[in-house]
Amino acid sequence: MRSLWIWLAVTALSMAVAQLPAGSGIFPFWPVIAALAVILTTRSAAAGLAAGVIGGTLVATGGHPIEALRSTFADHLIPQISSSWHIGALFFTLLLGAFAGVLESSGGFSAILERMLRGSKNPQKRVLGSVYGLGLLCFFDGLANSMLTGRIARPAVDRTGISREKLAWVVDSTSSPVACVAFISTWIATQLTLIQDSLPDADAYGLYFQSIPANPYCLLTLLLIPIAIHLDWEPKAMRRFQPKDVATNQETQTSGAPWRVLVPLLVLATSIAAGFQIWSEAPIDWTSLEAWRSAASSNAGPTALIAGALAGLIAACLCHPRNSPRPWQDAAKKGAAGLIPALIILILAWSLGSVFRTLGAAEAIQSLLGDGLSASSLPLAVFGVAALTAFTTGSSWGTMALLMPLALGVLVQTADPGSLLVIAPGVIGAVFGGAVFGDHASPFSDTTIVSALAAGCSPLDHVLSQLPYALTAAGAAAFAYLMMSLGLHPAASTGLAAVILFLTVLLLRRRSRA
């Protein structure tokens, strides 16, 4: 009932805003205002994005409900789900969700973790390092990563005297960052379509790969985990949590064979990579870097992703143990069904981007900024805005959907044609990295809550204990973006920030032990 009243209020306000004089300055920003208001009050990214779409179409159609409803479907929703890129993204995400479900059910990840722990002289560091390594291996989906590694590793951390809050930090800090920078994950389809929709004439794959070194938050977070584990750095917020009583927390995990995981992952990666050349129009040449580049820039993306994910799923089903308590059919269905909410968010995100373009949001933001912000400084500003948006909304995907078309639209208006594609990777990386950081720091985030529950601790305790780590990586990332604004290459900026990060952890460790 509360959600219904919120929706009615947003609809009424949207109709009122539509009656303002033509060209009112609030028009381009109303979808963002409506979306954020609903997300903050309902804690639902899907509800907020839907409110942004409907509120924007009401404003665009002069407040006429029937015309707004027609425009929502005819001008924004239907065109988005009929695009070959978007259809490919939907099928790929579902297939990869099923793939993750079958791999989890096979028990192979449990066997990999057990082998990582054998013969360890420092069991606590070995456990945390093994959880980190397992998280890197589960690069294909952030949420599945959190659920899987947290559940598998919980008995190991209990036996070795590690707090579950520390386990939740490793799990959460590995899952989303690795999925964000992995070129084969449930995120990649969303990331590529957001880039493609915002810069239709650009090479989405090329910009994505260039944005990886320009995404220092995710990279530095993945670096911070082994540094903190090796140096045994625990901020005060983490040290106050004690391990659970192992005598009352014995849990068992179904164990399988590592090859049941490794073989399907190998099939998935090689099939997608090969698919780009097989379905591109360029001649196939497995040894030519130029052929691979041309294939990645072709229209083979949707077909290659779907075919590769299907091949990986078939391999996972064939490797699934026949005597497993859960048949592979049930595991695949559950894995795919678990991503349906994410697909709804994805479709609404595409529709909201279309509404932004109709209302000219990017041009409006540029007119407000004027000459106060140079194109080279845009990545740093975008990182801050994305972090704040993701923190308040608790949704990294929702933040990416809100900001990517706006940020790249502003870049198009700000940068000259010669520097546009040079700065674009930094803007893209800032959207992705800022969204992941805000998502990490937010108590409303689904991955934050899932990581805590999978590890067996309170979500609020997880947020408070993880925050010092996230802020440390975010500070180093902001330094990297500052260096980028001064003209330093993204890779060099991120490398310099990595040195700063390491020295900062050393300093904080010494102070904590003083």
Side-chain angles (χ1 to χ4, degrees):
M1 181 60 69
R2 179 170 173 266
S3 299
L4 176 61
W5 282 111
I6 292 172
W7 264 82
L8 290 175
V10 169
T11 301
L13 286 173
S14 299
M15 295 175 67
V17 169
Q19 303 308 313
L20 296 175
S24 176
I26 197 175
F27 282 4
F29 304 105
W30 181 249
V32 177
I33 296 172
L36 289 177
V38 173
I39 290 175
L40 288 173
T41 51
T42 65
R43 305 301 184 215
S44 171
L49 293 173
V53 172
I54 294 175
T57 52
L58 279 169
V59 169
T61 57
H64 300 288
I66 303 300
E67 178 61 22
L69 184 63
R70 184 208 64 80
S71 178
T72 297
F73 285 91
D75 300 333
H76 304 297
L77 184 61
I78 302 300
Q80 302 309 313
I81 60 178
S82 61
S83 163
S84 62
W85 270 86
H86 292 172
I87 292 174
L90 296 176
F91 277 102
F92 173 74
T93 303
L94 282 174
L95 288 170
L96 213 54
F99 174 81
V102 175
L103 286 194
E104 178 184 357
S105 176
S106 72
F109 283 118
S110 298
I112 292 174
L113 182 61
E114 290 174 5
R115 296 195 179 189
M116 287 179 174
L117 297 178
R118 290 177 183 172
S120 173
K121 296 181 180 179
N122 190 324
Q124 290 192 349
K125 288 186 178 181
R126 176 64 71 88
V127 166
L128 292 174
S130 298
V131 173
Y132 172 65
L134 188 61
L136 295 179
L137 189 63
C138 299
F139 58 84
F140 43 82
D141 181 66
L143 201 60
N145 191 329
S146 298
M147 293 186 291
L148 184 63
T149 56
R151 287 202 300 260
I152 290 174
R154 192 191 300 182
V157 300
D158 286 348
R159 291 196 302 268
T160 52
I162 300 171
S163 70
R164 291 185 174 181
E165 288 75 15
K166 197 163 190 178
L167 169 63
W169 158 63
V170 175
V171 167
D172 197 6
S173 297
T174 309
S175 58
S176 292
V178 73
C180 188
V181 298
F183 65 93
I184 302 174
S185 73
T186 52
W187 290 48
I188 186 65
T190 303
Q191 293 168 311
L192 291 176
T193 54
L194 289 175
I195 298 171
Q196 186 71 37
D197 290 350
S198 303
L199 297 174
D201 298 327
D203 174 12
Y205 283 95
L207 288 175
Y208 167 77
F209 283 113
Q210 293 176 53
S211 76
I212 293 177
N215 185 353
Y217 178 76
C218 289
L219 297 177
L220 294 176
T221 298
L222 293 173
L223 177 63
L224 176 61
I225 298 170
I227 290 177
I229 292 173
H230 179 70
L231 297 178
D232 197 22
W233 173 53
E234 279 190 338
K236 185 177 180 180
M238 181 65 76
R239 287 200 304 273
R240 65 191 183 94
F241 293 104
Q242 299 300 316
K244 299 294 182 181
D245 183 2
V246 296
T248 60
N249 287 283
Q250 294 296 330
E251 302 178 31
T252 59
Q253 298 286 339
T254 301
S255 181
W259 66 267
R260 298 186 187 278
V261 166
L262 299 178
V263 170
L265 284 174
L266 181 61
V267 172
L268 175 76
T270 55
S271 298
I272 290 179
F276 278 102
Q277 287 222 35
I278 293 173
W279 279 285
S280 69
E281 298 178 355
I284 296 176
D285 187 347
W286 306 112
T287 61
S288 171
L289 293 178
E290 179 61 26
W292 285 107
R293 190 202 67 79
S294 299
S297 304
S298 69
N299 294 324
T303 305
L305 290 174
I306 292 175
L310 183 59
L313 176 58
I314 293 173
C317 294
L318 292 175
C319 293
H320 192 271
R322 295 182 180 180
N323 59 348
S324 173
R326 181 193 299 174
W328 66 262
Q329 297 93 330
D330 293 343
K333 290 177 184 177
K334 184 177 179 180
L339 286 177
I340 290 178
L343 294 182
I344 294 174
I345 292 176
L346 183 55
I347 294 172
L348 290 172
W350 295 333
S351 303
L352 185 59
S354 176
V355 173
F356 283 148
R357 289 189 291 273
T358 299
L359 295 176
E363 292 82 354
I365 292 177
Q366 172 59 24
S367 66
L368 289 178
L369 292 175
D371 297 327
L373 184 66
S374 64
S376 60
S377 301
L378 191 58
L380 178 60
V382 168
F383 177 73
V385 173
L388 180 61
T389 303
F391 176 80
T392 55
T393 61
S395 172
S396 55
W397 281 34
T399 298
M400 290 188 292
L402 281 170
L403 293 185
M404 188 64 76
L406 293 176
L408 289 179
V410 170
L411 177 64
V412 171
Q413 298 295 321
T414 306
D416 59 81
S419 62
L420 174 63
L421 295 181
V422 176
I423 303 175
V427 175
I428 294 169
V431 172
F432 292 154
V436 172
F437 163 64
D439 185 68
H440 271 170
S442 174
F444 316 128
S445 164
D446 56 352
T447 51
T448 297
I449 295 171
V450 166
S451 297
L453 296 179
C457 66
S458 162
L460 181 59
D461 289 342
H462 168 46
V463 170
L464 296 176
S465 59
Q466 177 171 263
L467 193 57
Y469 296 99
L471 289 174
T472 302
F479 173 80
Y481 284 119
L482 179 61
M483 294 297 99
M484 292 181 209
S485 69
L486 298 177
L488 193 64
H489 189 275
S493 300
T494 301
L496 183 58
V499 176
I500 298 296
L501 178 70
F502 179 75
L503 295 177
T504 300
V505 173
L506 279 178
L507 178 62
L508 293 174
R509 176 176 174 269
R510 289 179 181 177
R511 286 186 175 181
S512 66
R513 297 190 173 188

